[in-house]
Amino acid sequence: MTKFSDAIGGYFPLELPRLQAHFYPNLALFSSARGAFYALLVSGKPDAVWVPRYICDAMLSPLETLQIPVKYYSLDSQLMPDSEVVPAENEWVLWVNYFGLCDVQEQKMLARFNPRQLILDHSQAFYSPPGDCLATLYSPRKFFGVPDGGLLATSLPVDVPQTDPLVSLNRSAHLLRRLAENAESGFAAYQQAEETFTQAPSAMSQLTETLLKTIDYQQCRKARNENFQFLHQHLGRFNEAAFDNVTADGALCYPFLNRTSGLRQFLTNERIYTPSYWHDAGCRVRPSGIESDFIHHLIPLPVDQRYGIAEMEFIVEKVADFLNPSAGG
């Protein structure tokens, strides 16, 4: 006899589109990418991990807790590891597909290093498929409106401990407040939700898993691509970042590198909010390297599926007015 996970009848839940399959149906489901990384480290027990200097501190905490030595490396102008990265037999290399725009570099990574020693961090590259390597990590909450979530592709056996279902509910206030009011009203709740993430691995909650099954992933991808190309068409002449816009497919953002002081604050005043990646890495990177340029001068402009060409035109107008005020009307 068929059994159902919930009762039949009674009050309605939040109305959602019909459930479909996960975009990556065979991956291990965690509550966060850092928790997935922790579980991977516990399973594989590497002697050391090579890590880019340009990375958030959250990905370093599992290594510190497990007392696994970290070997930092710098990036060249193409966001590839420098020549000093030579992993020993039981050492791993962690590399980030930055902004979801480094698929060409990723293929070079797979050719350069033993794939069984390579971890691809796709936290910023949701639409890039898992590599044929030791592991690939994803963080879908950077792309979609879900309270948490991390995905792990690996052939290693990993433990996925169960999670408290109330945790995701407590991380959902900012999602609802932005729907009910505006971005500003939910920002404090967003910050509080971010502080609840820990390195301890736990399973993805039923709430997050359900929400991920309702997303029209191809429509989201299409919107991101159209928005990205529009921004590049109109702002590319101001952009010092050397990304290949032709291969951009479902990018996290439009990474706009420009040294004009005050642009980020100007956009904030216009209610165009942009994150910073990653100021906590400033103490690790070379002052003259590309990583330092990204930390201090790169503005990730939004291109995600919430927006269309009208919002992109507004962004272009504001950026262009700030950078070239004499050309304005």
Side-chain angles (χ1 to χ4, degrees), residues 93-323:
V93 178
L94 174 67
W95 179 80
V96 180
N97 187 326
Y98 292 98
F99 315 112
L101 295 171
C102 297
D103 286 356
V104 172
Q105 294 94 319
E106 186 165 300
Q107 294 307 307
K108 294 178 180 179
M109 289 291 297
L110 290 165
R112 175 176 166 184
F113 296 102
N114 180 349
R116 298 301 101 192
Q117 294 177 278
L118 182 62
I119 305 169
L120 299 176
D121 185 342
H122 282 192
S123 294
Q124 296 189 343
F126 180 83
Y127 285 98
S128 297
D132 183 13
C133 58
L134 173 67
T136 307
L137 297 162
Y138 293 90
S139 182
R141 66 189 177 89
K142 291 181 173 60
F143 283 76
F144 311 106
V146 294
D148 42 53
L151 308 176
L152 172 64
T154 185
S155 59
L156 290 181
V158 292
D159 183 30
V160 188
Q162 289 303 304
T163 188
D164 180 355
L166 295 180
V167 173
S168 280
L169 292 179
N170 294 334
R171 292 183 180 133
S172 299
H174 64 287
L175 302 173
L176 297 174
R177 288 190 72 111
R178 183 149 193 175
L179 284 178
E181 299 179 80
N182 53 45
E184 292 84 0
S185 70
F187 185 63
Y190 166 75
Q191 291 178 307
Q192 293 169 3
E194 288 294 300
E195 292 174 356
T196 66
F197 287 100
T198 67
Q199 61 187 331
S202 60
M204 181 181 291
S205 69
Q206 181 177 331
L207 172 60
T208 298
E209 186 172 358
T210 299
L211 291 173
L212 287 174
K213 288 181 178 179
T214 69
I215 294 170
D216 187 340
Y217 290 102
Q218 296 307 335
Q219 181 56 39
C220 292
R221 181 186 225 158
K222 180 175 181 289
R224 285 176 179 270
N225 290 344
E226 291 174 351
N227 292 338
F228 185 100
Q229 295 300 337
F230 186 90
L231 290 187
H232 187 71
Q233 177 185 353
H234 292 86
L235 297 178
R237 60 195 171 104
F238 300 116
N239 193 354
E240 298 178 34
F243 290 104
D244 182 4
N245 68 297
V246 176
T247 60
D249 188 13
L252 175 73
C253 61
Y254 181 68
F256 186 68
L257 182 61
N258 188 283
R259 299 173 193 277
T260 305
S261 177
L263 176 57
R264 186 190 299 275
Q265 185 58 54
F266 172 78
L267 293 176
T268 298
N269 294 343
E270 296 292 336
R271 300 182 76 214
I272 300 172
Y273 300 128
T274 59
S276 298
Y277 305 121
W278 291 281
H279 279 289
D280 50 13
C283 61
R284 295 189 294 269
V285 304
R286 298 173 300 184
S288 60
I290 189 172
E291 303 102 322
S292 183
D293 282 345
F294 281 5
I295 290 171
H296 296 106
H297 304 297
L298 187 137
I299 301 177
L301 297 174
V303 298
D304 61 77
Q305 61 274 3
R306 294 171 291 178
Y307 310 118
I309 297 304
E311 288 87 357
M312 298 302 105
E313 288 176 339
F314 182 74
I315 293 173
V316 167
E317 176 187 346
K318 295 303 178 182
V319 172
D321 284 351
F322 185 83
L323 297 180

